[in-house]
Amino acid sequence: MRTPFVAGNWKMNKTVEEARLLVFEMARELREIKGVEKVLCPPFTALLAVAALLEGTDIGLGAQNMHWEEKGAFTGETSPLMVAEFCRYVILGHSERRAYFGETDETVNKKVGATRTCGLIPILCVGETLAENEAGRTTEVVSRQVREGLKGLEAGFTSGIVIAYEPVWAIGTGRASSGENANAVVQDVIRKTLTEMYREEVSQAVRVLYGGSVTASDAAEFFSQPDIDGALVGGASLRVDEFVAITRATMK
Ligand code: 13P
């Protein structure tokens, strides 16, 4: 029912030339993998070049952030309309943006809301820190991020979005969550919160990804979980063989 989904978050990596080289090699192989939605999220400066290379393929393009206002005096920011010129997806509320750039549930909510009018599909990131995890606050934190991130948004819109569960302690640490543990959070916290906010059909329609040190060797463990529909991949998305193997692993 839910199409598997794999997105590569390149973070602040790759110049235009490097991005071209990576996509040139990766796209050839990714095109052969059917039945899964594949998305690359390069930095803003490489979007145009990557968009050109992906034209005519079934590989989608995503940005890693955007502002919520349509235009105006916001030096250094990029508007939803500008992102939508190139992209179909946008990562919002990534924990690195929450931790280093002052993003809050409130600003993330404004950004998610702003995707409605320009046809972008948000990939809303949620996840607890190590301290929160160790204090037994995972449920409280993740359900709050889902609730606040989607506050005021209607069921019809929410059914089409993507949520990524990325425990902060698993990001870039080489210490991925276990498939079982991640599935439990997705099922008992994320989907449960969606059911409480909307209804069961909405909760079952939303695609939920796992992110945090996903590699080719553990991808299948996540994709075999009933409530996990794919992955948001960081470091491993910068390596052709790894990212291609992870994408292949979605074919359960
Ligand atoms: P890593 O896969 O490098 O742990 O990063 C995960 C992530 O933050 C994806 O958004």
Side-chain angles (χ1 to χ4, degrees):
M1 332 156 310
R2 297 187 296 261
T3 311
F5 191 107
V6 175
N9 174 9
W10 293 10
K11 307 192 181 185
M12 196 173 73
N13 291 291
K14 304 293 172 188
T15 62
V16 171
E17 258 333 287
E18 290 165 349
R20 275 206 188 101
L21 195 64
L22 181 63
V23 173
F24 184 75
E25 292 177 3
M26 205 175 253
R28 252 192 325 229
E29 298 198 49
L30 288 178
R31 290 174 74 156
E32 307 299 319
I33 311 171
K34 302 292 176 196
V36 44
E37 216 164 314
K38 300 154 280 189
V39 178
L40 303 182
C41 305
F44 278 112
T45 47
L47 282 178
L48 183 57
V50 174
L53 286 172
L54 296 183
E55 214 177 305
T57 74
D58 63 350
I59 305 165
L61 189 62
Q64 300 173 16
N65 177 38
M66 66 174 202
H67 197 274
W68 59 86
E69 292 286 351
E70 209 170 284
K71 60 182 172 188
F74 300 99
T75 301
E77 290 292 326
T78 310
S79 84
L81 282 176
M82 293 165 186
V83 171
E85 280 188 299
F86 302 106
C87 300
R88 180 150 172 70
Y89 306 88
V90 60
I91 297 171
L92 295 176
H94 192 281
S95 62
E96 286 149 17
R97 298 217 51 88
R98 294 181 194 251
Y100 309 139
F101 303 101
E103 292 207 10
T104 61
D105 286 333
E106 193 187 345
T107 56
V108 173
N109 179 243
K110 285 185 184 173
K111 292 179 180 199
V112 177
T115 62
R116 280 184 304 183
T117 47
C118 57
L120 283 164
I121 297 176
I123 302 173
L124 168 63
C125 300
V126 298
E128 82 285 4
T129 63
L130 182 62
E132 290 163 343
N133 182 285
E134 287 175 344
R137 295 181 53 213
T138 301
T139 300
E140 168 208 328
V141 170
V142 174
S143 66
R144 188 205 71 224
Q145 289 173 337
V146 172
R147 244 174 232 290
E148 296 296 314
L150 298 175
K151 199 157 143 185
L153 302 172
E154 56 283 352
F157 165 78
T158 298
S159 326
I161 74 162
V162 178
I163 294 179
Y165 170 53
E166 299 205 308
V168 180
W169 47 267
I171 295 178
T173 58
R175 201 187 135 210
S177 167
S178 71
E180 216 170 286
N181 180 62
N183 192 74
V185 176
V186 173
Q187 182 180 11
D188 303 339
V189 184
I190 298 178
R191 293 205 192 277
K192 184 161 173 262
T193 303
L194 291 170
T195 302
E196 285 166 4
M197 289 180 74
Y198 303 98
R199 52 181 186 272
E200 180 69 16
E201 291 92 312
V202 175
S203 162
Q204 287 305 316
V206 170
R207 265 139 350 136
V208 185
L209 318 177
Y210 167 78
S213 297
V214 174
T215 62
S217 54
D218 62 17
E221 180 186 337
F222 293 106
F223 302 149
S224 64
Q225 302 294 328
D227 282 287
I228 297 175
D229 305 309
L232 182 54
V233 186
S237 74
L238 299 170
R239 298 200 297 276
V240 176
D241 292 352
E242 278 284 312
F243 193 63
V244 168
I246 290 169
T247 308
R248 275 217 180 86
T250 54
M251 312 313 296
K252 297 174 192 170

